[in-house]
Amino acid sequence: MKTQPELFRGYLLSLIAVTGFGFTFIAVTLGSESFDPITMSIGRVVPAGILAVIALKLMKQPLLPPREAYPLILGSSIGIIIGFPLLSTLALQSIPAADAGVIGAVTPMVTGIVAVFIGHKRPKPMFWAAAALGAISAMSLAYFKGGTDFGGGTYWGYLAMAFAVLLASMGHISGSTLVAKYSSFTVLSWAVIISIPIQLPIAVVNWSINPITEWPTWTAILGFLYVSWFSLSIGNFMLNQGLHIIGLVKGAQLQLLQPIVTMVLAILILQQPVSPITWIAAFGILTSVAWSQRYKAK
């Protein structure tokens, strides 16, 4: 049984992570001023890898995980370090952003369902009703935010986005499970490091084909570093720790708040207009999150 201070810490870490992830869309938009999609998705492992090595050295931890931790570290790495950034980026090349947002909105629900199937605590039926409300509201938010521009994407694009969601869920489950034995930042650093042999060659090949011929803008550099250091490393470290404290099934619902954060930041920074129906969808998400956190798992 978690104490109130522990639960407060878990919620605080999770909310900071979700808020930070909400800025990822803005950062990617800024980074795209000077960097191509592969650099923004795969190339971000370079600064993240440097941060991971420094962190492990400071914590006096080995650069590679122990043998018994490899299966879950690999799951975390494939899920949130390699799979989701790569597949979602590729998907967005052939499907509308609104479609990707609708599919991505079910990530918390998928995480909860998969966690239950592999042995995590099972919440009460009313929890799933609250989670369903959140998923529907998040999909509606993505739909109206995208200007209802649906359809027209390729089959492979939709399939890639669906696998991206599944891999993201697997990555968070693997990472938060290991936090029970190792520190969250150690787990995340290992996940980043073992992904380097896969991602770095792809990035190098891409840079040889699509070289950066002009000095990037400062805003693009800041956007690139943000998605590398926060979206890939620090944010996932906080979220994995928070999910471990709160519980995977329940804590995953907090991710529904991310599109609201993105929407608010888009209004403030990108000056994007928002329709009244979008605010209704946002209210549905907030209601769902508050409702779902009331129910204890069995």
Side-chain angles (χ1 to χ4, degrees):
M1 187 70 178
K2 299 290 191 306
T3 64
Q4 286 299 319
E6 283 180 301
L7 285 174
F8 175 79
R9 179 168 167 267
Y11 277 107
L12 181 63
L13 287 171
S14 298
L15 290 173
I16 292 174
V18 169
T19 301
F21 287 146
F23 193 79
T24 298
F25 169 75
I26 310 295
V28 169
T29 301
L30 296 175
S32 298
E33 294 174 357
S34 302
F35 302 111
D36 63 86
I38 297 299
T39 298
M40 292 300 296
S41 62
I42 297 295
R44 68 173 80 174
V45 75
V46 175
I50 294 171
L51 178 64
V53 170
I54 293 172
L56 289 171
K57 288 293 186 181
L58 290 175
M59 293 185 292
K60 297 181 180 179
Q61 295 292 325
L63 293 181
L64 295 175
R67 184 174 299 177
E68 65 273 12
Y70 257 100
L72 288 176
I73 291 290
L74 191 60
S76 182
S77 184
I78 291 174
I80 59 180
I81 306 299
I82 302 173
F84 184 80
L86 177 59
L87 289 178
S88 59
T89 297
L90 292 177
L92 284 169
Q93 305 308 303
S94 58
I95 66 174
D99 293 36
V102 169
I103 298 171
V106 301
T107 302
M109 179 78 86
V110 172
T111 301
I113 292 172
V114 173
V116 168
F117 270 109
I118 64 174
H120 288 265
K121 291 183 178 180
R122 182 164 52 92
K124 296 178 180 179
M126 288 304 292
F127 169 86
W128 295 113
L133 171 64
I136 293 170
S137 297
M139 287 189 287
S140 300
L141 180 61
Y143 178 84
F144 290 108
K145 186 178 165 188
T148 66
D149 182 24
F150 269 66
T154 67
Y155 169 79
W156 293 109
Y158 290 111
L159 189 62
M161 193 63 209
F163 271 108
V165 167
L166 187 61
L167 287 175
S169 299
M170 179 189 75
H172 285 304
I173 291 170
S174 299
S176 62
T177 301
L178 273 175
V179 172
K181 189 171 182 180
Y182 306 99
S183 78
S184 184
F185 207 78
T186 299
V187 170
L188 223 293
S189 297
W190 283 336
V192 169
I193 286 176
I194 67 171
S195 77
I196 291 175
I198 299 173
Q199 298 202 86
L200 187 57
I202 297 175
V204 170
V205 170
N206 176 64
W207 291 330
S208 66
I209 297 173
N210 303 300
I212 300 173
T213 56
E214 296 181 4
W215 184 258
T217 64
W218 284 110
T219 51
I221 292 173
L222 289 175
F224 175 68
L225 291 178
Y226 187 90
V227 297
S228 178
W229 286 339
F230 188 90
S231 302
L232 199 64
S233 300
I234 298 172
N236 280 311
F237 141 67
M238 289 181 169
L239 185 59
N240 284 346
Q241 184 69 35
L243 291 179
H244 171 68
I245 296 172
I246 300 168
L248 262 170
V249 180
K250 215 167 127 177
Q253 297 306 306
L254 296 175
Q255 291 176 278
L256 287 169
L257 297 173
Q258 183 179 331
I260 297 180
V261 175
T262 300
M263 181 185 73
V264 172
L265 289 171
I267 295 170
L268 296 176
I269 298 175
L270 300 181
Q271 309 291 308
Q272 292 183 352
V274 179
S275 65
I277 194 70
T278 302
W279 288 111
I280 295 174
F283 178 76
I285 293 174
L286 292 173
T287 301
S288 163
V289 172
W291 186 12
S292 67
Q293 298 311 298
R294 295 180 56 203
Y295 295 101
K296 294 182 180 180
K298 296 178 182 179

